[in-house]
Every structure is written in structure tokens, then in C-alpha cells.
Amino acid sequence: MNKLNCLLLALALVGCSSEKSSEGSKPDAFEFSYTIDTVQVDPGDHFIYLQQNLGSSDITPDGKYLLNFNAKTIEMEIVDLDELKLSSVVKLEQEGPNGIGTSPYFGAYRALSTDEFMFASQNKVIKMDLTTNQATYYSFKRSDLSPDALAANEELKNGGLLSSDGSIFYSWYGIQEKPYENHGLAKIDLGSLEVKVIPIPQMDKLDQFTIEVAMSDGTGMRGKFGENITLLELEDKIIIQQSAFNEFWVLDKATLEVTVKANKSNLTENVKAGNFANKVTSQDAFKEARNARDKEVSFGNLILDSERNMIWRISSDFDHMDGEKMVRNYYLTFFDLDLNQLGEYQLENWMMAGKPFIKDGDFYQFLNLEDDMAFVRLKPNFGND
């Protein structure tokens, strides 16, 4: 999105700050209205890292600070969300006994406090003390793990979830020869390095929505582009959310069993149609398939609202083309902590870009506003608030 479009969008969103009542599936049982405004973070004389749309960031447990890892300058940028300003910047080392490594891109991040931050990659977790710049390392080489944790042809993959207390890493795992496929989660105790493998057979259902690229132009370029999958930790379970089906895959922390919780929407389709090519051999064919997939329904990430004991999810589907720009409809769905649907509502003047979060009961959606950090803020009213 270019700077002019970002600015026009922000102005439009600010202009929509009057209260709106949203029509939903259960308007009598679940009264909901909202206002929208846009707030901007004061960076001082620092350029805050925005290239990953806050994908390398996390919010502290008290919701007061956003810790944003700058993979370009190898710094931790600490943003005060109460004051909406950059509070401090901590320089990190790449090499040496407390270095984070020469490849500064990780698959999972966790802010334990303003003083401690964790990074996870395919074969290690790093806990960094930001006050002393001291690092604690947890290695996941096969020789370090509990015996027979993985089959001979299996390996840990990049990405997963660091638990809220920093003691467990839920890493994706799969077949070595298939780098783009995950078969389930490996629960790794960071204290003992004991590993428990958790197969998730439901993931095979996503294969039908994967676009496999094998270029025939002599470049040898290959790859797979699948659905978005994210993990949300609750007290007794891990929720596996994927973008193709209107359902949750629920991992019980105690039993490590996975069950399916299906949902039904009255506003969108409940599954992607899959009306696009699954195998392509040229850039033009890939673009066509990707655009066709983007026109289908997509179920967004789950965001925990700990104050109200609810979960928010924003989903979208295709509305129309405005020239070459795709215009989408956005829908907000609420669930209780047992994953029962409470209500669903169509949002006006909304957009999705980057990592959202909830602070003080308000929904914050990242917005790159002329290369400055800003947030579109949705302030809900549930009638009894």
C-alpha cells in the first residue's frame, strides 16, 4: 500500500469514528456497537521497524508495552502503548556468547516482560535479558532431544508457539523431504528438553487449498503456498486456527488430544470453495491462482480479550474489484472461552494489515502510515460495558 493510500485510509477511518450498530447473527442476545479512530506512535528521531507488519513483535502480559524486534538493525524497540511513543531501544548482539545468531529471522516471539524476550527458530529458543543483554539458549538438535522423539525421517520446522510463561515451545514438525508441510506439533519442555509429538491429521484437509509452484522456465524455482495457520494459548488448551475452514482444532494441554469445534456463519461461507489451480508452472499462472484464492473466504487470527473472557476473530471475503485493487468485506465474530459463537457482525471501513492485539478492551489493528507506526482502534460497546 503506498503512502497516499495509507493516508487516505487513515483519514477515512478517523472520519468513521461515530458510533455504529452492527447487524449480527444474534442481535437480541448479544448487543454490539463500536467506534473507530486512528492513533499514531511518536518514534522520536528513530525509524521503527515496520517491514514485517509487526510480525516480529509481542505485547507484554500487562498490555502496556509492545516489544518489536528490528531484524535490520538487530535492536529491540520498546513502545509505550499508554503514551503511544517509543520508550527505548536496546541494541542486541548477533555473534559471541550472547548473540542471537547471524540469521535474524525467527518463527515465534514472546515478550515475558519489558526485560525479557524470547525468540524461537527451527532448532533453538533464545531467552534474552534486555537489561543485561545476557542470553539463555535452548538447543533442539536431534542429539539434544529425548530419545525417539521424532521418527528418523521427521524434523522440527520453523514456527510455532512459545507458552505464556516461557517454559514450553510448541514447534511444528514434519517430514524432512517436505519442507513446506507440517504434520503436527511437538511439545518441547525447555527445562528437560523432553519432546511429545502431537499428530494433527486435520492438517491434511488443507492440502486441497495449497498452490504448488514448479517453474518450467529453467530456474528450478519450487515452493508451496498454503493457508495461514496460527496458534492461540488459553489456560487449558491451544487453539489451532486456519484460514480455510470455519472450525477450530483444539489441543487439550493435559491429554494432548486434538478435537474439532465446528462453527456456522450466517454472513460468510463456512469453507473455501477451492476454485483455483493447485499446481502451476509459470509466474502468470501463479498470479492467477493466487488472485482466485484471495477472492474466497478467509478466516482470520484469534485474539484473546482477557478482560471480557472472549475471543475475537476478523474474517473476510471478496466484494468487488476497484480497478486492480481487490475490495473485501470484513466480519467480526465473538466466541466465549469454550469456543461457543456469541455473535457475528459486518464491519464498515475496515482493513487488515499486520498483527492485531487487544489493549484495555479495545482492538488495535496495525497501520503503516507513511512509514510511521499507527493503529486503527476499534472501541466496542457491548451494551453492558
Side-chain angles (χ1 to χ4, degrees):
M1 185 180 292
N2 61 38
K3 293 182 179 181
L4 178 58
N5 285 339
C6 283
L7 182 59
L8 290 175
L9 175 60
L11 291 173
L13 289 167
V14 171
C16 295
S17 62
S18 58
E19 188 167 20
K20 299 180 181 296
S21 294
S22 289
E23 240 179 71
S25 59
K26 298 180 180 179
D28 296 329
F30 197 84
E31 183 180 347
F32 170 68
S33 60
Y34 64 95
T35 61
I36 293 176
D37 64 5
T38 303
V39 294
Q40 189 168 350
V41 172
D42 180 2
D45 57 2
H46 183 83
F47 290 97
I48 299 177
Y49 180 72
L50 304 178
Q51 280 87 330
Q52 295 187 55
N53 292 329
L54 301 191
S56 58
S57 72
D58 194 28
I59 307 298
T60 55
D62 61 9
K64 294 182 179 297
Y65 292 90
L66 181 147
L67 275 63
N68 185 49
F69 174 59
N70 188 325
K72 185 176 181 180
T73 61
I74 317 303
E75 295 173 323
M76 188 64 68
E77 301 162 339
I78 302 177
V79 176
D80 186 325
L81 293 174
D82 287 333
E83 299 294 330
L84 289 171
K85 68 178 183 180
L86 182 67
S87 174
S88 61
V89 177
V90 178
K91 180 65 178 177
L92 304 178
E93 299 296 328
Q94 284 189 276
E95 300 180 347
N98 293 296
I100 63 171
T102 56
S103 179
Y105 297 96
F106 300 88
Y109 303 85
R110 174 68 74 178
L112 300 178
S113 68
T114 54
D115 298 331
E116 282 190 308
F117 195 88
M118 299 182 74
F119 309 83
S121 62
Q122 183 175 3
N123 294 309
K124 66 182 177 182
V125 164
I126 304 169
K127 181 189 289 187
M128 181 64 66
D129 186 321
L130 299 176
T131 60
T132 64
N133 236 341
Q134 299 292 306
T136 302
Y137 300 94
Y138 307 89
S139 173
F140 300 151
K141 294 179 182 178
R142 184 176 291 271
S143 58
D144 299 322
L145 300 174
S146 52
D148 303 322
L150 298 170
N153 65 338
E154 292 176 337
E155 66 178 358
L156 299 178
K157 304 290 187 177
N158 197 30
L161 172 74
L162 288 158
S163 64
S164 58
D165 63 359
S167 67
I168 302 291
F169 179 44
Y170 295 89
S171 171
W172 294 111
Y173 81 91
I175 303 300
Q176 292 176 351
E177 291 76 17
K178 298 181 179 180
Y180 305 103
E181 296 180 16
N182 297 325
H183 287 182
L185 288 170
K187 178 185 176 183
I188 305 172
D189 185 304
L190 296 182
S192 64
L193 290 186
E194 180 186 8
V195 179
K196 294 183 178 179
V197 172
I198 308 162
I200 305 176
Q202 291 83 2
M203 297 188 68
D204 292 342
K205 296 166 54 176
L206 300 179
D207 291 346
Q208 62 188 299
F209 305 114
T210 297
I211 302 174
E212 184 175 352
V213 179
M215 293 299 176
S216 59
D217 56 5
T219 62
M221 177 182 170
R222 305 180 68 88
K224 286 188 175 182
F225 299 84
E227 293 297 308
N228 186 46
I229 305 176
T230 57
L231 304 172
L232 174 68
E233 181 183 23
L234 299 182
E235 183 176 352
D236 59 346
K237 50 185 170 278
I238 304 292
I239 312 302
I240 304 160
Q241 164 67 21
Q242 38 66 44
S243 51
F245 293 91
N246 189 14
E247 64 184 31
F248 305 135
W249 304 337
V250 185
L251 169 63
D252 186 293
K253 284 184 179 181
T255 65
L256 300 186
E257 295 180 350
V258 178
T259 57
V260 177
K261 179 69 167 66
N263 305 303
K264 183 178 180 181
S265 173
N266 293 320
L267 301 180
T268 72
E269 298 295 328
N270 288 294
V271 62
K272 273 182 162 59
N275 294 326
F276 50 86
N278 294 112
K279 295 185 177 181
V280 297
T281 58
S282 69
Q283 290 284 2
D284 288 342
F286 172 61
K287 182 179 180 181
E288 181 179 347
R290 185 185 60 190
N291 287 343
R293 188 174 71 175
D294 288 348
K295 289 184 178 180
E296 298 187 359
V297 65
S298 181
F299 301 99
N301 298 353
L302 301 179
I303 310 298
L304 177 63
D305 184 344
S306 56
E307 291 189 7
R308 300 185 181 92
N309 290 322
M310 294 195 316
I311 296 170
W312 300 43
R313 185 188 69 187
I314 294 183
S315 304
S316 65
D317 60 17
F318 175 73
D319 189 284
H320 68 277
M321 296 297 297
D322 183 6
E324 295 186 358
K325 178 184 177 182
M326 187 178 297
V327 179
R328 300 184 69 82
N329 301 310
Y330 291 93
Y331 309 91
L332 174 57
T333 309
F334 298 100
F335 303 88
D336 64 23
L337 297 189
D338 292 322
L339 305 179
N340 299 307
Q341 184 169 308
L342 302 174
E344 57 178 348
Y345 307 87
Q346 183 166 356
L347 297 176
E348 298 180 26
N349 302 294
W350 195 251
M351 51 83 71
M352 292 294 287
K355 193 173 184 177
F357 58 90
I358 291 177
K359 172 177 167 52
D360 298 332
D362 297 338
F363 188 96
Y364 283 69
Q365 173 63 61
F366 167 69
L367 174 67
N368 186 332
L369 186 60
E370 296 190 294
D371 294 329
D372 282 332
M373 179 185 289
F375 298 99
V376 179
R377 183 170 58 184
L378 186 154
K379 302 173 74 66
N381 182 356
F382 292 102
N384 58 351
D385 280 3

